[in-house]
Amino acid sequence: MLAAGFTDPVHDAQGTFRAVMDALARPGLSRPLAPGLAPPAPLTPELAAVALTLTDADTPVWLDAALADVPEVAAYLRFHTGAPLTDDPAQAAFALIRDPARCPPLDRFAQGTPAYPDTATTLVLALDAITPGEGLRLTGPGIKGAVRVTLTPLPEGFVAQCAGNRVGFPLGVDLILTAPGRVAGLPRSTAVTEG
Amino acid sequence: MSATGIPERVGHLPPRKGEEGSSEAGYNFAYLDEGTKRMIRRAILKAIAVPGYQVPFASREMPMPYGWGTGGVQVTAAILGRADVLKVIDQGADDTTNAVSIRRFFARTSGVATTTRTTEATIIQTRHRIPETPLSEGQTLVYQVPIPEPLRFLEPRETETRQLHALAEYGAMHVKLYEDISRHGHIATTYAYPVEVAGRYVMDPSPTPKFDNPKMDDCPALQLFGAGRERRIYAVPPYTRVRSLDFEDHPFRVQEFTAPCALCGARGHYLDEVVTDDSGGRMYVCSDTDICETRVAEATR
């Protein structure tokens, strides 16, 4: 049977959106996110919450291999959001990534255009953990001074990829990072360095 | 104030009949349908990711005319939740028509708590002022914007201004400010004074007096801008560099007032001129009614 969506569609979506908005406005600081969803595995409740909150018929969604291999995931997303699924990351408004270690290079997703940088893909990653401190050092708009955060797991060469993503500013992708019960943001405006 | 039918401006406003904690029957929470909120929410996220860039959005007809804050209202409706406390100001005042009608609109359609106290609010919708009380991290400031494009009066074509922003070609704006200097001896622009956000996009701060520009820089609160008729949303994240454009030999300066506020005696606040009679009498009072009343109340205690 198809798993249920939000219990309270209006307020659960609003709560999820505010957590995501605050996360992107203050990069690297994670917020609580408790959507109360039980989507088909391997789709996580947090990925599902972001998808149900932000995607609809206007937003092509790309699924990584871990999610695309399970037909129940596509059926769940199609039923609850109506979003078209796409195989081409460069066409995606949103990309759901269950297996961040095998995330395609960030420059394979839509980067936006110089006149319309908002047409870039928003990647939503399901991490195992977002831990304050150590790890990566983030600076940029939304961050008072600098913030440190440890993200696990990450794709290979993530820091270099982020540098590449920022070089073309205002072009580039934006990342919504989720972990069990948490959400953090990493917009293209953020500079990411190691240590 | 009550003689005019306008609620007293003290703290939390009592809910009006039929407004207690519930929204108007037949309307979704905060008026907009969920599909519209999703579209606006996506635009807000992209606006935050590219500070100062104007994201196009499918602005809806609202139950108020364009020019009455339909952009700000749509942004507020998209972010508002049951736990929020809403404050609405019009030129700094909580008790003028635009502020009262928008505050009632959200009280009726969402049932959220409203306030006139800057410190109690989680969301402050504003028309053309930034409160004098410093904002804090948990707050979001929503601006109503009439014309979001700072280059519009220099280049009327949207296709061209898009390209100018894409190329970060802002020479024309500097020429405009320079022409001010050559004509008046100083930069005569006093409101909607252009700013550069995070070292990239030049942005219109909406027609706030330039007095408020320094408050936008490194502000702990999130700032969102909505232009309903022009269908644009843009944002300044917290702790972001907002620099008012100027020249080395003509640095940016804000307005100065010689006299203190006639009601609360404050210096360093933005003052409104109030004509008191028909023989030239006038007084200058704080445009921010909340801080003015708070100071008067403290002084009389």
Side-chain angles (χ1 to χ4, degrees):
Chain A
M1 204 181 80
L2 198 66
F6 286 130
T7 321
D8 183 344
V10 171
H11 298 288
D12 290 353
Q14 190 275 337
T16 305
F17 166 72
R18 276 294 275 277
V20 171
M21 180 180 89
D22 286 343
L24 277 171
R26 294 173 169 83
L29 296 180
S30 75
R31 315 253 139 198
L33 180 64
L37 291 172
L43 189 64
T44 67
E46 292 78 20
L47 282 185
V50 175
L52 265 56
T53 301
L54 294 173
T55 67
D56 56 26
D58 294 335
T59 56
V61 173
W62 182 88
L63 303 178
D64 75 346
L67 294 172
D69 285 347
V70 183
E72 286 81 9
V73 170
Y76 177 86
L77 292 173
R78 280 210 177 92
F79 180 82
H80 286 296
T81 70
L85 300 179
T86 175
D87 295 332
D88 181 2
Q91 296 296 319
F94 287 86
L96 303 185
I97 290 144
R98 177 66 184 88
D99 188 359
R102 281 194 267 284
C103 179
L106 297 181
D107 59 11
R108 285 195 48 207
F109 294 92
Q111 305 290 304
T113 63
Y116 293 94
D118 55 301
T119 50
T121 306
T122 304
L123 280 71
V124 192
L125 285 78
L127 305 178
D128 293 339
I130 302 169
T131 321
E134 298 180 14
L136 305 175
R137 182 175 185 272
L138 313 182
T139 53
I143 302 169
K144 189 178 188 181
V147 66
R148 285 169 190 281
V149 63
T150 304
L151 307 170
T152 43
L154 282 177
E156 202 158 316
F158 182 71
V159 171
Q161 286 196 48
C162 285
N165 189 47
R166 194 163 182 278
V167 146
F169 188 89
L171 305 190
V173 298
D174 306 306
L175 275 58
I176 297 172
L177 310 168
T178 70
R182 310 295 295 181
V183 61
L186 203 52
R188 67 191 87 172
S189 57
T190 302
V192 181
T193 50
E194 217 134 9
Chain B
M1 286 303 148
S2 52
T4 59
I6 295 167
E8 297 290 333
R9 298 178 301 185
V10 277
H12 282 280
L13 301 169
R16 294 163 59 81
K17 198 167 161 33
E19 291 174 3
E20 296 90 346
S22 67
S23 55
E24 189 90 332
Y27 287 98
N28 190 24
F29 178 82
Y31 185 77
L32 291 177
D33 63 277
E34 290 301 299
T36 299
K37 285 187 195 168
R38 256 197 309 276
M39 173 270 296
I40 296 172
R41 286 167 180 171
R42 289 194 295 261
I44 291 172
L45 296 185
K46 286 303 178 194
I48 291 170
V50 189
Y53 163 72
Q54 301 162 48
V55 183
F57 81 111
S59 178
R60 300 293 195 248
E61 292 257 348
M62 296 302 285
M64 60 191 73
Y66 287 133
W68 283 72
T70 55
V73 165
Q74 290 179 79
V75 170
T76 299
I79 66 174
L80 194 66
R82 279 183 294 207
D84 279 312
V85 180
L86 179 69
K87 170 181 164 84
V88 185
I89 51 173
D90 171 5
Q91 303 280 10
D94 293 276
D95 61 352
T96 47
T97 312
N98 199 216
V100 171
S101 61
I102 290 173
R103 193 167 56 227
R104 276 192 195 157
F105 172 76
F106 281 114
R108 282 179 63 178
T109 58
S110 72
V112 299
T114 58
T115 185
T116 60
R117 292 269 185 268
T118 303
T119 48
E120 288 172 7
T122 58
I123 297 174
I124 302 171
Q125 182 170 329
T126 175
R127 175 177 174 274
H128 316 341
R129 270 316 307 283
I130 300 173
E132 306 286 359
T133 310
L135 301 177
S136 61
E137 286 203 352
Q139 295 179 311
T140 303
L141 189 59
V142 178
Y143 295 76
Q144 303 170 201
V145 182
I147 297 174
E149 178 51 73
L151 304 168
R152 182 60 68 234
F153 292 107
L154 307 170
E155 170 51 67
R157 290 167 296 181
E158 172 69 10
T159 48
E160 291 300 308
T161 52
R162 284 256 145 206
Q163 286 304 315
L164 293 174
H165 283 293
L167 299 168
E169 176 49 73
Y170 297 122
M173 186 57 89
H174 281 99
V175 170
K176 189 231 173 220
L177 296 176
Y178 171 73
E179 283 177 350
D180 267 8
I181 295 169
S182 63
R183 214 174 288 166
H184 307 287
H186 61 101
I187 299 176
T189 306
T190 55
Y191 67 96
Y193 191 103
V195 294
E196 178 197 75
V197 180
R200 176 58 176 81
Y201 282 94
V202 164
M203 185 186 94
D204 184 340
S206 85
T208 49
K210 68 177 177 180
F211 182 86
D212 285 339
N213 278 19
K215 296 178 194 163
M216 305 178 77
D217 181 34
D218 205 35
C219 176
L222 170 65
Q223 302 173 72
L224 301 174
F225 299 77
R229 182 187 52 216
E230 303 289 324
R231 301 185 162 83
R232 296 291 183 270
I233 286 172
Y234 50 105
V236 176
Y239 303 117
T240 298
R241 180 89 176 97
V242 177
R243 185 179 70 83
S244 302
L245 299 185
D246 62 357
F247 300 97
E248 277 175 22
D249 52 343
H250 285 273
F252 173 77
R253 284 168 54 198
V254 300
Q255 291 99 332
E256 284 170 17
F257 300 92
T258 48
C261 169
L263 296 179
C264 75
R267 291 182 183 275
H269 290 179
Y270 191 78
L271 303 182
D272 283 340
E273 180 185 37
V274 179
V275 176
T276 51
D277 54 37
D278 57 3
S279 57
R282 58 200 59 207
M283 63 195 281
Y284 292 88
V285 299
C286 287
S287 122
D288 184 334
T289 53
D290 171 50
I291 198 161
C292 194
E293 286 176 9
T294 306
R295 285 173 52 86
V296 168
E298 277 170 5
T300 53
R301 201 179 309 143

